[in-house]
Amino acid sequence: MDQNQELAVAQMRRAVHNLGSSTERYGEITLTRFLIARSFDIDKAAKMFVQWQNWRASFVPLNHIPESEITDELNAEKIYLQGLSRKGHPVVMCKASKHFPAKDPLQFKKFVVHLLDKTIASGFRGKEIGNEKLIAILDLQQIGYKNVDARGLITGFQFLQSYYPERLAKCYLLHMPGFFVQVWRLVSRFLEKATLEKIVIVTNEEERQEFIREVGEEVLPEEYGGKANSTLLQDFEVKPLDD
């Protein structure tokens, strides 16, 4: 971390304190994520950080979402956690053909938090550093109109943008059917420029090979050109953190 970043972090700590909150439990790397997300605007980064703290305290009071609160979403067996990419990013995959718009919007939001928390935690090596990022894969193969859920996609990306700043390394969209293009255009309107720049729509063989190289054959299931088995989110065990 250079001197300018150190100064920005120090200024952000003071700004957060002035907003009636504290950064005592958080390291420089974590705070830097919020600064990057707000282009090093100290006041905006501090405000975002405090909003995140307040949201976390109210929405995730146990600091995790128990599986017992999201059973309907887990039973769909649509999310897979695949281990680490070649660059060390946790890889999470969604089979959209197994997804249907949620009948319980609150449970769906809790599910989004659960999967993001667990995916990020799967990248910890003994302890959390604070800048861990994830790779998301959205497989749109064999989806029908009954699977289309623009609201759900918007919710997922907005949670990432508001409460998980700088946690997304890449998001790959695979097998996008023609009718989904209009849906994606709608969803894209709700995404920040920085988020859109991390999204890759794989449309040809060259892009598919680049996707395989970027993610890694060791974690990709065979159907995507890899050598791994698929592991459901609920079956993936996350190692506890060191004391």
Side-chain angles (χ1 to χ4, degrees):
M1 181 176 292
D2 61 31
Q3 287 185 332
N4 290 334
Q5 287 183 329
E6 290 178 358
L7 177 61
V9 168
Q11 292 174 332
M12 179 178 166
R13 288 190 188 277
R14 288 194 292 271
V16 169
H17 178 76
N18 291 338
L19 291 172
S21 192
S22 171
T23 61
E24 185 177 351
R25 293 172 47 228
Y26 303 95
E28 293 179 344
I29 293 176
T30 296
L31 298 179
T32 299
R33 286 195 292 108
F34 288 83
L35 285 164
I36 293 172
R38 290 297 175 261
S39 302
F40 280 84
D41 183 308
I42 305 299
D43 291 335
K44 288 182 179 180
K47 183 179 180 181
M48 183 185 193
F49 180 80
V50 172
Q51 288 174 336
W52 166 74
Q53 284 183 310
N54 293 337
W55 167 81
R56 192 82 190 176
S58 63
F59 198 79
V60 200
L62 301 176
N63 205 31
H64 74 284
I65 302 293
E67 290 188 356
S68 59
E69 296 184 12
I70 54 171
T71 52
D72 292 343
E73 296 293 339
L74 288 174
N75 287 342
E77 298 188 345
K78 57 190 172 185
I79 303 293
Y80 302 82
L81 199 47
Q82 292 299 120
L84 302 182
S85 73
R86 286 181 174 171
K87 293 183 179 179
H89 303 313
V91 177
V92 62
M93 180 174 63
C94 174
K95 290 196 173 185
S97 62
K98 294 185 175 184
H99 172 79
F100 301 93
K103 296 179 180 178
D104 182 346
L106 178 58
Q107 182 179 161
F108 179 74
K109 290 178 180 178
K110 290 183 177 182
F111 178 65
V112 170
V113 172
H114 175 87
L115 76 88
L116 290 175
D117 282 356
K118 188 169 184 178
T119 300
I120 293 166
S122 73
F124 298 165
R125 288 297 168 262
K127 62 179 181 179
E128 179 180 0
I129 296 174
N131 61 354
E132 292 86 355
K133 297 178 183 290
L134 63 90
I135 290 177
I137 300 170
L138 178 59
D139 182 5
L140 298 163
Q141 192 168 34
Q142 296 183 336
I143 66 167
Y145 289 104
K146 64 183 182 298
N147 305 116
V148 173
D149 186 10
R151 185 186 298 274
L153 271 173
I154 292 167
T155 295
F157 279 112
Q158 287 186 331
F159 269 50
L160 266 172
Q161 292 175 162
S162 298
Y163 307 127
Y164 297 84
E166 293 300 307
R167 288 296 202 186
L168 181 65
K170 283 278 182 69
C171 177
Y172 291 96
L173 273 59
L174 309 180
H175 308 119
M176 182 184 288
F179 77 86
F180 196 82
V181 173
Q182 285 297 109
V183 178
W184 183 246
R185 286 175 181 167
L186 170 63
V187 172
S188 298
R189 295 175 189 171
F190 293 85
L191 306 189
E192 297 172 359
K193 182 174 181 289
T195 302
L196 285 169
E197 289 174 348
K198 297 172 183 176
I199 295 172
V200 178
I201 301 174
V202 178
T203 60
N204 57 47
E205 181 60 23
E206 182 180 349
E207 291 170 346
R208 192 182 79 88
Q209 290 300 324
E210 177 59 27
F211 157 71
I212 295 171
R213 285 193 294 270
E214 182 78 16
V215 179
E217 293 181 348
E218 300 305 315
V219 296
L220 278 175
E222 292 182 7
E223 61 186 295
Y224 302 106
K227 302 176 181 177
N229 295 319
S230 299
T231 305
L232 284 169
L233 178 70
Q234 55 266 44
D235 294 337
F236 192 100
E237 295 188 9
V238 175
K239 296 180 180 179
L241 297 181
D242 295 339
D243 294 334

Short mmCIF file of all heavy atoms in Angstrom, two decimals, residues 90-137:
data_model
loop_
_atom_site.label_atom_id
_atom_site.label_comp_id
_atom_site.label_asym_id
_atom_site.label_seq_id
_atom_site.Cartn_x
_atom_site.Cartn_y
_atom_site.Cartn_z
N PRO A 90 -12.28 -18.07 -5.52
CA PRO A 90 -13.33 -19.07 -5.43
C PRO A 90 -14.25 -19.00 -6.64
O PRO A 90 -14.55 -17.91 -7.13
CB PRO A 90 -14.09 -18.67 -4.15
CG PRO A 90 -13.16 -17.82 -3.38
CD PRO A 90 -12.29 -17.13 -4.39
N VAL A 91 -14.69 -20.16 -7.11
CA VAL A 91 -15.53 -20.23 -8.30
C VAL A 91 -16.91 -20.74 -7.91
O VAL A 91 -17.06 -21.85 -7.39
CB VAL A 91 -14.91 -21.18 -9.36
CG1 VAL A 91 -15.84 -21.30 -10.57
CG2 VAL A 91 -13.55 -20.66 -9.78
N VAL A 92 -17.93 -19.92 -8.14
CA VAL A 92 -19.31 -20.29 -7.85
C VAL A 92 -20.09 -20.33 -9.16
O VAL A 92 -19.90 -19.49 -10.03
CB VAL A 92 -19.96 -19.31 -6.84
CG1 VAL A 92 -20.04 -17.90 -7.39
CG2 VAL A 92 -21.34 -19.80 -6.42
N MET A 93 -20.93 -21.34 -9.31
CA MET A 93 -21.62 -21.57 -10.58
C MET A 93 -23.11 -21.73 -10.34
O MET A 93 -23.54 -22.40 -9.40
CB MET A 93 -21.04 -22.83 -11.23
CG MET A 93 -21.63 -23.22 -12.56
SD MET A 93 -20.72 -24.63 -13.25
CE MET A 93 -21.07 -25.89 -12.02
N CYS A 94 -23.91 -21.12 -11.22
CA CYS A 94 -25.37 -21.24 -11.14
C CYS A 94 -25.91 -21.85 -12.42
O CYS A 94 -25.59 -21.36 -13.52
CB CYS A 94 -26.01 -19.87 -10.91
SG CYS A 94 -27.82 -19.90 -10.96
N LYS A 95 -26.71 -22.91 -12.30
CA LYS A 95 -27.41 -23.47 -13.45
C LYS A 95 -28.80 -22.85 -13.48
O LYS A 95 -29.69 -23.21 -12.71
CB LYS A 95 -27.48 -24.99 -13.34
CG LYS A 95 -26.12 -25.65 -13.54
CD LYS A 95 -26.25 -27.13 -13.80
CE LYS A 95 -24.90 -27.74 -14.16
NZ LYS A 95 -25.01 -29.18 -14.54
N ALA A 96 -28.98 -21.90 -14.38
CA ALA A 96 -30.21 -21.11 -14.41
C ALA A 96 -31.43 -21.94 -14.75
O ALA A 96 -32.56 -21.56 -14.41
CB ALA A 96 -30.06 -19.95 -15.40
N SER A 97 -31.26 -23.08 -15.42
CA SER A 97 -32.40 -23.93 -15.78
C SER A 97 -33.06 -24.55 -14.54
O SER A 97 -34.18 -25.06 -14.62
CB SER A 97 -31.96 -25.04 -16.74
OG SER A 97 -31.00 -25.88 -16.12
N LYS A 98 -32.35 -24.50 -13.41
CA LYS A 98 -32.91 -25.04 -12.16
C LYS A 98 -33.49 -23.93 -11.28
O LYS A 98 -33.95 -24.20 -10.16
CB LYS A 98 -31.83 -25.80 -11.39
CG LYS A 98 -31.34 -27.06 -12.07
CD LYS A 98 -30.37 -27.81 -11.18
CE LYS A 98 -29.95 -29.14 -11.80
NZ LYS A 98 -29.08 -29.93 -10.88
N HIS A 99 -33.43 -22.70 -11.77
CA HIS A 99 -33.92 -21.57 -10.98
C HIS A 99 -35.29 -21.13 -11.45
O HIS A 99 -35.58 -21.11 -12.65
CB HIS A 99 -32.95 -20.39 -11.09
CG HIS A 99 -33.48 -19.13 -10.47
ND1 HIS A 99 -33.44 -18.91 -9.11
CD2 HIS A 99 -34.09 -18.04 -11.01
CE1 HIS A 99 -33.98 -17.74 -8.83
NE2 HIS A 99 -34.38 -17.19 -9.97
N PHE A 100 -36.12 -20.77 -10.48
CA PHE A 100 -37.43 -20.19 -10.78
C PHE A 100 -37.61 -18.96 -9.90
O PHE A 100 -37.10 -18.92 -8.78
CB PHE A 100 -38.54 -21.21 -10.51
CG PHE A 100 -38.42 -22.46 -11.32
CD1 PHE A 100 -37.75 -23.57 -10.81
CD2 PHE A 100 -38.94 -22.53 -12.60
CE1 PHE A 100 -37.62 -24.72 -11.56
CE2 PHE A 100 -38.82 -23.68 -13.37
CZ PHE A 100 -38.15 -24.78 -12.85
N PRO A 101 -38.30 -17.93 -10.40
CA PRO A 101 -38.49 -16.73 -9.58
C PRO A 101 -39.02 -17.08 -8.19
O PRO A 101 -39.92 -17.92 -8.05
CB PRO A 101 -39.52 -15.92 -10.39
CG PRO A 101 -39.26 -16.34 -11.81
CD PRO A 101 -38.92 -17.80 -11.74
N ALA A 102 -38.46 -16.45 -7.20
CA ALA A 102 -38.75 -16.81 -5.81
C ALA A 102 -40.19 -16.47 -5.41
O ALA A 102 -40.69 -15.39 -5.71
CB ALA A 102 -37.77 -16.10 -4.88
N LYS A 103 -40.84 -17.40 -4.72
CA LYS A 103 -42.14 -17.13 -4.13
C LYS A 103 -41.98 -16.37 -2.81
O LYS A 103 -42.93 -15.74 -2.35
CB LYS A 103 -42.88 -18.46 -3.90
CG LYS A 103 -43.22 -19.21 -5.18
CD LYS A 103 -43.94 -20.51 -4.88
CE LYS A 103 -44.26 -21.26 -6.17
NZ LYS A 103 -44.93 -22.57 -5.89
N ASP A 104 -40.79 -16.49 -2.22
CA ASP A 104 -40.49 -15.81 -0.96
C ASP A 104 -39.28 -14.90 -1.19
O ASP A 104 -38.14 -15.33 -1.06
CB ASP A 104 -40.17 -16.85 0.12
CG ASP A 104 -39.90 -16.24 1.50
OD1 ASP A 104 -39.69 -15.01 1.57
OD2 ASP A 104 -39.88 -17.00 2.48
N PRO A 105 -39.50 -13.62 -1.54
CA PRO A 105 -38.39 -12.71 -1.86
C PRO A 105 -37.39 -12.55 -0.73
O PRO A 105 -36.19 -12.42 -0.98
CB PRO A 105 -39.11 -11.38 -2.16
CG PRO A 105 -40.49 -11.78 -2.58
CD PRO A 105 -40.82 -12.97 -1.75
N LEU A 106 -37.85 -12.57 0.52
CA LEU A 106 -36.93 -12.42 1.65
C LEU A 106 -35.99 -13.62 1.74
O LEU A 106 -34.79 -13.47 1.96
CB LEU A 106 -37.71 -12.26 2.95
CG LEU A 106 -36.85 -12.16 4.23
CD1 LEU A 106 -35.88 -10.98 4.13
CD2 LEU A 106 -37.73 -12.04 5.46
N GLN A 107 -36.54 -14.82 1.56
CA GLN A 107 -35.69 -16.01 1.58
C GLN A 107 -34.66 -15.95 0.46
O GLN A 107 -33.50 -16.33 0.65
CB GLN A 107 -36.51 -17.30 1.46
CG GLN A 107 -35.64 -18.55 1.54
CD GLN A 107 -36.42 -19.85 1.45
OE1 GLN A 107 -35.85 -20.90 1.15
NE2 GLN A 107 -37.72 -19.81 1.70
N PHE A 108 -35.07 -15.46 -0.70
CA PHE A 108 -34.12 -15.36 -1.82
C PHE A 108 -32.97 -14.42 -1.48
O PHE A 108 -31.81 -14.70 -1.77
CB PHE A 108 -34.83 -14.90 -3.09
CG PHE A 108 -33.91 -14.76 -4.27
CD1 PHE A 108 -33.42 -15.87 -4.92
CD2 PHE A 108 -33.49 -13.50 -4.70
CE1 PHE A 108 -32.55 -15.75 -6.00
CE2 PHE A 108 -32.63 -13.36 -5.78
CZ PHE A 108 -32.15 -14.49 -6.42
N LYS A 109 -33.29 -13.28 -0.87
CA LYS A 109 -32.24 -12.33 -0.48
C LYS A 109 -31.29 -12.96 0.53
O LYS A 109 -30.07 -12.78 0.46
CB LYS A 109 -32.86 -11.06 0.09
CG LYS A 109 -33.58 -10.21 -0.94
CD LYS A 109 -34.22 -8.98 -0.32
CE LYS A 109 -34.94 -8.14 -1.36
NZ LYS A 109 -35.61 -6.96 -0.75
N LYS A 110 -31.85 -13.71 1.48
CA LYS A 110 -31.00 -14.40 2.45
C LYS A 110 -30.12 -15.44 1.76
O LYS A 110 -28.96 -15.63 2.13
CB LYS A 110 -31.85 -15.07 3.53
CG LYS A 110 -32.53 -14.10 4.49
CD LYS A 110 -33.31 -14.84 5.57
CE LYS A 110 -33.91 -13.87 6.57
NZ LYS A 110 -34.64 -14.58 7.66
N PHE A 111 -30.68 -16.08 0.75
CA PHE A 111 -29.92 -17.07 -0.02
C PHE A 111 -28.75 -16.42 -0.74
O PHE A 111 -27.64 -16.97 -0.76
CB PHE A 111 -30.86 -17.76 -1.01
CG PHE A 111 -30.19 -18.77 -1.89
CD1 PHE A 111 -29.65 -19.93 -1.36
CD2 PHE A 111 -30.13 -18.58 -3.27
CE1 PHE A 111 -29.04 -20.87 -2.18
CE2 PHE A 111 -29.53 -19.52 -4.09
CZ PHE A 111 -28.98 -20.68 -3.54
N VAL A 112 -28.98 -15.26 -1.32
CA VAL A 112 -27.91 -14.53 -2.01
C VAL A 112 -26.78 -14.22 -1.02
O VAL A 112 -25.59 -14.42 -1.33
CB VAL A 112 -28.45 -13.23 -2.64
CG1 VAL A 112 -27.29 -12.37 -3.14
CG2 VAL A 112 -29.40 -13.56 -3.79
N VAL A 113 -27.13 -13.75 0.16
CA VAL A 113 -26.12 -13.44 1.16
C VAL A 113 -25.38 -14.70 1.60
O VAL A 113 -24.15 -14.72 1.72
CB VAL A 113 -26.76 -12.75 2.38
CG1 VAL A 113 -25.76 -12.59 3.52
CG2 VAL A 113 -27.31 -11.38 1.98
N HIS A 114 -26.12 -15.78 1.81
CA HIS A 114 -25.51 -17.05 2.21
C HIS A 114 -24.49 -17.53 1.19
O HIS A 114 -23.36 -17.89 1.53
CB HIS A 114 -26.60 -18.11 2.40
CG HIS A 114 -26.08 -19.48 2.70
ND1 HIS A 114 -25.80 -19.92 3.98
CD2 HIS A 114 -25.79 -20.52 1.87
CE1 HIS A 114 -25.36 -21.17 3.93
NE2 HIS A 114 -25.34 -21.55 2.66
N LEU A 115 -24.88 -17.51 -0.10
CA LEU A 115 -23.97 -18.03 -1.12
C LEU A 115 -22.76 -17.12 -1.31
O LEU A 115 -21.64 -17.60 -1.54
CB LEU A 115 -24.71 -18.32 -2.43
CG LEU A 115 -25.12 -17.18 -3.34
CD1 LEU A 115 -24.00 -16.84 -4.32
CD2 LEU A 115 -26.37 -17.56 -4.14
N LEU A 116 -22.96 -15.80 -1.22
CA LEU A 116 -21.82 -14.89 -1.36
C LEU A 116 -20.87 -15.04 -0.18
O LEU A 116 -19.65 -15.10 -0.35
CB LEU A 116 -22.31 -13.45 -1.48
CG LEU A 116 -23.00 -13.08 -2.79
CD1 LEU A 116 -23.54 -11.66 -2.73
CD2 LEU A 116 -22.05 -13.23 -3.98
N ASP A 117 -21.42 -15.10 1.04
CA ASP A 117 -20.58 -15.27 2.22
C ASP A 117 -19.79 -16.57 2.16
O ASP A 117 -18.58 -16.60 2.45
CB ASP A 117 -21.43 -15.25 3.49
CG ASP A 117 -21.86 -13.86 3.91
OD1 ASP A 117 -21.43 -12.88 3.26
OD2 ASP A 117 -22.63 -13.74 4.89
N LYS A 118 -20.47 -17.65 1.80
CA LYS A 118 -19.80 -18.95 1.78
C LYS A 118 -18.76 -19.02 0.66
O LYS A 118 -17.67 -19.58 0.85
CB LYS A 118 -20.82 -20.08 1.62
CG LYS A 118 -20.22 -21.47 1.79
CD LYS A 118 -21.27 -22.55 1.90
CE LYS A 118 -20.63 -23.90 2.17
NZ LYS A 118 -21.66 -24.98 2.32
N THR A 119 -19.09 -18.46 -0.49
CA THR A 119 -18.14 -18.45 -1.60
C THR A 119 -16.88 -17.69 -1.23
O THR A 119 -15.75 -18.17 -1.43
CB THR A 119 -18.77 -17.84 -2.86
OG1 THR A 119 -19.92 -18.60 -3.24
CG2 THR A 119 -17.78 -17.82 -4.01
N ILE A 120 -17.04 -16.50 -0.67
CA ILE A 120 -15.89 -15.69 -0.27
C ILE A 120 -15.08 -16.40 0.81
O ILE A 120 -13.85 -16.47 0.76
CB ILE A 120 -16.34 -14.30 0.20
CG1 ILE A 120 -16.90 -13.51 -0.99
CG2 ILE A 120 -15.18 -13.53 0.83
CD1 ILE A 120 -17.69 -12.28 -0.60
N ALA A 121 -15.78 -16.98 1.79
CA ALA A 121 -15.09 -17.68 2.88
C ALA A 121 -14.31 -18.88 2.38
O ALA A 121 -13.28 -19.25 2.96
CB ALA A 121 -16.11 -18.12 3.93
N SER A 122 -14.76 -19.49 1.27
CA SER A 122 -14.03 -20.64 0.73
C SER A 122 -12.68 -20.24 0.16
O SER A 122 -11.84 -21.09 -0.12
CB SER A 122 -14.87 -21.34 -0.36
OG SER A 122 -14.92 -20.57 -1.55
N GLY A 123 -12.48 -18.94 -0.01
CA GLY A 123 -11.20 -18.44 -0.50
C GLY A 123 -10.23 -18.06 0.60
O GLY A 123 -9.07 -17.72 0.33
N PHE A 124 -10.69 -18.08 1.85
CA PHE A 124 -9.80 -17.75 2.97
C PHE A 124 -8.76 -18.86 3.13
O PHE A 124 -9.08 -20.04 3.02
CB PHE A 124 -10.57 -17.62 4.28
CG PHE A 124 -11.59 -16.52 4.31
CD1 PHE A 124 -12.56 -16.48 5.29
CD2 PHE A 124 -11.60 -15.52 3.35
CE1 PHE A 124 -13.51 -15.47 5.33
CE2 PHE A 124 -12.54 -14.50 3.37
CZ PHE A 124 -13.50 -14.48 4.37
N ARG A 125 -7.56 -18.49 3.42
CA ARG A 125 -6.51 -19.46 3.70
C ARG A 125 -6.01 -19.24 5.12
O ARG A 125 -5.03 -18.56 5.36
CB ARG A 125 -5.37 -19.34 2.67
CG ARG A 125 -5.76 -19.87 1.30
CD ARG A 125 -6.07 -21.37 1.40
NE ARG A 125 -6.71 -21.92 0.22
CZ ARG A 125 -8.01 -22.10 0.10
NH1 ARG A 125 -8.83 -21.74 1.08
NH2 ARG A 125 -8.53 -22.66 -0.96
N GLY A 126 -6.75 -19.83 6.07
CA GLY A 126 -6.41 -19.67 7.48
C GLY A 126 -7.08 -18.47 8.11
O GLY A 126 -7.62 -18.55 9.20
N LYS A 127 -7.05 -17.34 7.40
CA LYS A 127 -7.70 -16.13 7.91
C LYS A 127 -8.13 -15.27 6.74
O LYS A 127 -7.64 -15.43 5.62
CB LYS A 127 -6.75 -15.34 8.82
CG LYS A 127 -5.50 -14.84 8.12
CD LYS A 127 -4.62 -14.05 9.08
CE LYS A 127 -3.36 -13.53 8.37
NZ LYS A 127 -2.52 -12.74 9.29
N GLU A 128 -9.05 -14.35 7.01
CA GLU A 128 -9.52 -13.44 5.98
C GLU A 128 -8.52 -12.31 5.78
O GLU A 128 -8.08 -11.68 6.75
CB GLU A 128 -10.88 -12.86 6.36
CG GLU A 128 -11.42 -11.88 5.33
CD GLU A 128 -12.77 -11.30 5.71
OE1 GLU A 128 -13.28 -11.65 6.79
OE2 GLU A 128 -13.30 -10.49 4.93
N ILE A 129 -8.14 -12.08 4.54
CA ILE A 129 -7.24 -10.96 4.24
C ILE A 129 -8.05 -9.68 4.07
O ILE A 129 -7.69 -8.62 4.59
CB ILE A 129 -6.42 -11.25 2.97
CG1 ILE A 129 -5.51 -12.47 3.20
CG2 ILE A 129 -5.58 -10.03 2.58
CD1 ILE A 129 -4.76 -12.91 1.97
N GLY A 130 -9.16 -9.79 3.36
CA GLY A 130 -10.02 -8.63 3.20
C GLY A 130 -10.23 -8.22 1.75
O GLY A 130 -11.12 -7.42 1.45
N ASN A 131 -9.41 -8.78 0.84
CA ASN A 131 -9.55 -8.42 -0.57
C ASN A 131 -9.87 -9.63 -1.45
O ASN A 131 -9.67 -9.60 -2.66
CB ASN A 131 -8.29 -7.74 -1.08
CG ASN A 131 -7.06 -8.65 -0.99
OD1 ASN A 131 -7.12 -9.74 -0.44
ND2 ASN A 131 -5.93 -8.18 -1.51
N GLU A 132 -10.35 -10.72 -0.83
CA GLU A 132 -10.69 -11.92 -1.61
C GLU A 132 -11.80 -11.61 -2.63
O GLU A 132 -12.77 -10.94 -2.31
CB GLU A 132 -11.14 -13.04 -0.66
CG GLU A 132 -10.04 -13.59 0.24
CD GLU A 132 -9.88 -12.80 1.53
OE1 GLU A 132 -10.56 -11.76 1.69
OE2 GLU A 132 -9.08 -13.22 2.37
N LYS A 133 -11.61 -12.12 -3.83
CA LYS A 133 -12.59 -11.93 -4.90
C LYS A 133 -13.10 -13.28 -5.37
O LYS A 133 -12.46 -14.31 -5.14
CB LYS A 133 -11.95 -11.18 -6.08
CG LYS A 133 -11.48 -9.77 -5.76
CD LYS A 133 -10.82 -9.14 -6.98
CE LYS A 133 -10.26 -7.76 -6.69
NZ LYS A 133 -11.33 -6.77 -6.47
N LEU A 134 -14.24 -13.28 -6.04
CA LEU A 134 -14.83 -14.51 -6.54
C LEU A 134 -15.05 -14.44 -8.05
O LEU A 134 -15.13 -13.36 -8.63
CB LEU A 134 -16.15 -14.79 -5.83
CG LEU A 134 -17.30 -13.78 -6.00
CD1 LEU A 134 -18.17 -14.13 -7.21
CD2 LEU A 134 -18.17 -13.74 -4.75
N ILE A 135 -15.14 -15.62 -8.64
CA ILE A 135 -15.54 -15.75 -10.04
C ILE A 135 -16.90 -16.41 -10.07
O ILE A 135 -17.11 -17.46 -9.45
CB ILE A 135 -14.53 -16.60 -10.84
CG1 ILE A 135 -13.21 -15.83 -11.02
CG2 ILE A 135 -15.10 -16.98 -12.21
CD1 ILE A 135 -12.14 -16.63 -11.74
N ALA A 136 -17.85 -15.78 -10.77
CA ALA A 136 -19.20 -16.32 -10.89
C ALA A 136 -19.43 -16.81 -12.32
O ALA A 136 -18.99 -16.18 -13.28
CB ALA A 136 -20.24 -15.26 -10.53
N ILE A 137 -20.10 -17.94 -12.43
CA ILE A 137 -20.46 -18.50 -13.73
C ILE A 137 -21.98 -18.68 -13.76
O ILE A 137 -22.54 -19.37 -12.90
CB ILE A 137 -19.78 -19.86 -13.97
CG1 ILE A 137 -18.25 -19.72 -13.92
CG2 ILE A 137 -20.22 -20.46 -15.30
CD1 ILE A 137 -17.52 -21.05 -13.90
#
